Amino acid sequence: MESRACSRVACQASAVATLTFDYSDALAVLGPLAVTKSPHSFDLCARHAQLTTVPTGWSLMRHAALGGDQPER
Ligand SMILES: [Zn+2]
């Protein structure tokens, strides 16, 4: 299986999670690494997945496997 690098600039770590934006619901979903790369998703390493924040007015949903399922405020 092909491994992908974190999308963050200057980060060389391998991606373990995929952040997907649902623009219609202003919802960002952080889940397990997606099998296929989509233009509306970003692959993140464990550290950047933890550091992820979303713009004001957006909700962030973390997949339970990634440390919680509570939307962030
Ligand atoms: Zn990273």
mmCIF file of all heavy atoms in Angstrom, residues 6 8 11 13 44-45 48, ligand 1:
data_model
loop_
_atom_site.group_PDB
_atom_site.id
_atom_site.type_symbol
_atom_site.label_atom_id
_atom_site.label_comp_id
_atom_site.label_asym_id
_atom_site.label_seq_id
_atom_site.Cartn_x
_atom_site.Cartn_y
_atom_site.Cartn_z
ATOM 1 N N CYS A 6 2.360 13.853 5.057
ATOM 2 C CA CYS A 6 1.513 14.900 5.613
ATOM 3 C C CYS A 6 1.418 16.072 4.640
ATOM 4 O O CYS A 6 2.385 16.416 3.965
ATOM 5 C CB CYS A 6 2.148 15.351 6.935
ATOM 6 S SG CYS A 6 1.270 16.647 7.788
ATOM 7 N N ARG A 8 0.946 19.191 5.399
ATOM 8 C CA ARG A 8 1.452 20.459 5.921
ATOM 9 C C ARG A 8 2.814 20.781 5.342
ATOM 10 O O ARG A 8 3.669 19.913 5.202
ATOM 11 C CB ARG A 8 1.550 20.415 7.442
ATOM 12 C CG ARG A 8 0.223 20.221 8.136
ATOM 13 C CD ARG A 8 -0.681 21.423 7.995
ATOM 14 N NE ARG A 8 -1.930 21.208 8.725
ATOM 15 C CZ ARG A 8 -3.031 21.920 8.539
ATOM 16 N NH1 ARG A 8 -3.064 22.874 7.649
ATOM 17 N NH2 ARG A 8 -4.108 21.662 9.237
ATOM 18 N N CYS A 11 6.481 19.426 6.515
ATOM 19 C CA CYS A 11 6.333 18.261 7.372
ATOM 20 C C CYS A 11 6.569 17.018 6.532
ATOM 21 O O CYS A 11 5.936 16.828 5.502
ATOM 22 C CB CYS A 11 4.941 18.222 7.995
ATOM 23 S SG CYS A 11 4.715 16.815 9.097
ATOM 24 N N ALA A 13 6.467 13.849 7.867
ATOM 25 C CA ALA A 13 5.911 12.659 8.516
ATOM 26 C C ALA A 13 4.876 11.984 7.625
ATOM 27 O O ALA A 13 4.250 12.632 6.779
ATOM 28 C CB ALA A 13 5.278 13.057 9.846
ATOM 29 N N LEU A 44 -2.926 14.150 6.951
ATOM 30 C CA LEU A 44 -2.169 14.721 8.065
ATOM 31 C C LEU A 44 -1.479 13.634 8.875
ATOM 32 O O LEU A 44 -2.016 12.535 9.035
ATOM 33 C CB LEU A 44 -3.119 15.488 8.998
ATOM 34 C CG LEU A 44 -3.826 16.705 8.409
ATOM 35 C CD1 LEU A 44 -4.864 17.232 9.386
ATOM 36 C CD2 LEU A 44 -2.838 17.792 8.048
ATOM 37 N N CYS A 45 -0.309 13.969 9.400
ATOM 38 C CA CYS A 45 0.372 13.064 10.310
ATOM 39 C C CYS A 45 -0.310 13.152 11.681
ATOM 40 O O CYS A 45 -1.177 14.008 11.905
ATOM 41 C CB CYS A 45 1.844 13.446 10.414
ATOM 42 S SG CYS A 45 2.126 15.047 11.191
ATOM 43 N N HIS A 48 0.012 16.692 13.383
ATOM 44 C CA HIS A 48 -0.807 17.745 12.782
ATOM 45 C C HIS A 48 -2.296 17.442 12.903
ATOM 46 O O HIS A 48 -3.116 18.355 12.942
ATOM 47 C CB HIS A 48 -0.378 17.976 11.332
ATOM 48 C CG HIS A 48 0.854 18.819 11.235
ATOM 49 N ND1 HIS A 48 2.007 18.409 10.626
ATOM 50 C CD2 HIS A 48 1.090 20.053 11.731
ATOM 51 C CE1 HIS A 48 2.928 19.383 10.745
ATOM 52 N NE2 HIS A 48 2.389 20.374 11.410
HETATM 53 ZN ZN ZN B 1 2.495 16.763 9.675
#
